[in-house]
Amino acid sequence: MDKQKRKAIVAGNWKMNMTRPEAGELIKAIRPLVSAAECEVVVCVPFTDLDAAAKALKGSEIRLGAQNCHWEPSGAYTGEISVPMLRELGAEYVIVGHSERRQYFGETDQTANRRLRAALFGGLKAILCVGETLSQREANDTNDVIARQVTEGLREVPAGRLGDVVIAYEPVWAIGTGKTATAEEAGQACAFIRGLLAGICGDEETACGVTIQYGGSMNPKNAAQLLAQYDIDGGLIGGASLKAADFAAIVEAASK
Ligand code: PGA
């Protein structure tokens, strides 16, 4: 499939930032700057901001996302948030398996997979994050790590549901560090992921249609080069998504 025909998605991952009034202000600033976007624009906000963000987004094309979800629809899971709760607040997307959840909160490929399936079967689109650490890259384990994370993360997901899955390739060493993978490194990893998807679903056409984002210190300066890579269809943006002008500049780069 032609890269141009794939849906490019630029998603902001606000992480643990922004009170409700701050979220409202940021969305107010972003809205006019991305109104002519030719890619999909998503903001993945903290749970506590979802309601305020949904209201601030009314009438705009920007989609709302969360940063995690539990796999059960309800029950005795203190501190957790379910997919029906997210949907009721207007979320359309949810990030699963982010490296910060893997690193600090015991997330595994198995729990990421449970969350992803719950999201899909509960009516959300899922952004599955994968990526190697610096030591894994240095040990030449990048492809093995990505293969495991993608395969396990998508376990028991029917090929027909891949249209609601976005894969975000985020090398852990590039997240929040200011170090970006070179466009070629990022492009190669995303091409490798697309090959894995073709193997998993047994259908090249489906794999070719999946949106694969790059994430890790993407900013207005490096976005165009990264997004020009054939297999990179957008970005998952952390730090730069908290600045309206920077986020909008990345959206513009993805719209070309
Ligand atoms: P960063 O974060 O853009 O701040 O590196 C990306 C992410 O963690 O999703």
Side-chain angles (χ1 to χ4, degrees), residues 84-133:
M85 291 169 175
L86 296 179
R87 287 203 54 192
E88 195 271 327
L89 283 164
E92 198 177 316
Y93 282 87
V94 63
I95 297 171
V96 297
H98 190 278
S99 64
E100 286 150 15
R101 302 237 36 109
R102 295 177 192 260
Q103 196 177 344
Y104 306 127
F105 303 103
E107 184 85 271
T108 63
D109 290 328
Q110 286 66 40
T111 54
N113 173 251
R114 293 180 82 173
R115 295 183 209 282
L116 181 131
R117 283 187 284 126
L120 294 185
F121 293 112
L124 290 176
K125 294 174 184 149
I127 301 175
L128 171 66
C129 300
V130 300
E132 80 288 359
T133 62

Side-chain angles (χ1 to χ4, degrees), residues 9-18 26-27 30 34 39-46 50 53 57 62-68 93-95 98 127 129 168 170 213-215 218 234-243 246-248 250-251:
I9 304 175
V10 174
N13 173 12
W14 289 9
K15 308 193 180 185
M16 194 177 71
N17 294 292
M18 300 285 145
L26 181 54
I27 287 170
I30 291 171
V34 303
C39 63
E40 193 157 298
V41 182
V42 184
V43 286
C44 296
V45 307
L50 281 165
L57 289 172
I62 304 172
R63 317 296 166 97
L64 184 61
Q67 300 170 15
N68 191 21
Y93 282 87
V94 63
I95 297 171
H98 190 278
I127 301 175
C129 300
E170 300 203 301
Q213 299 172 317
Y214 169 79
M218 198 189 262
L236 185 57
I237 321 298
S241 74
L242 299 172
K243 295 179 197 137
D246 286 4
F247 186 60
I250 298 170
V251 168

Side-chain angles (χ1 to χ4, degrees), residues 1-8 194 204-205 208-210 229-231 233:
M1 184 191 280
D2 196 342
K3 176 178 170 74
Q4 309 303 332
K5 292 199 189 122
R6 266 197 307 263
K7 187 161 64 172
R194 202 173 299 287
E204 204 131 322
E205 192 61 28
C208 280
V210 175
Q229 294 289 312
Y230 179 77
D231 284 295
D233 313 308

Side-chain angles (χ1 to χ4, degrees), residues 165-247:
V165 175
V166 174
I167 308 283
Y169 169 62
E170 300 203 301
V172 178
W173 49 272
I175 294 178
T177 58
K179 285 187 200 147
T180 340
T182 65
E184 291 72 28
E185 284 170 332
Q188 273 165 15
C190 292
F192 177 69
I193 290 169
R194 202 173 299 287
L196 290 170
L197 294 175
I200 289 169
C201 67
D203 168 11
E204 204 131 322
E205 192 61 28
T206 303
C208 280
V210 175
T211 299
I212 302 180
Q213 299 172 317
Y214 169 79
S217 298
M218 198 189 262
N219 61 46
K221 285 206 179 80
N222 59 30
Q225 226 188 345
L226 287 157
L227 292 165
Q229 294 289 312
Y230 179 77
D231 284 295
I232 300 182
D233 313 308
L236 185 57
I237 321 298
S241 74
L242 299 172
K243 295 179 197 137
D246 286 4
F247 186 60

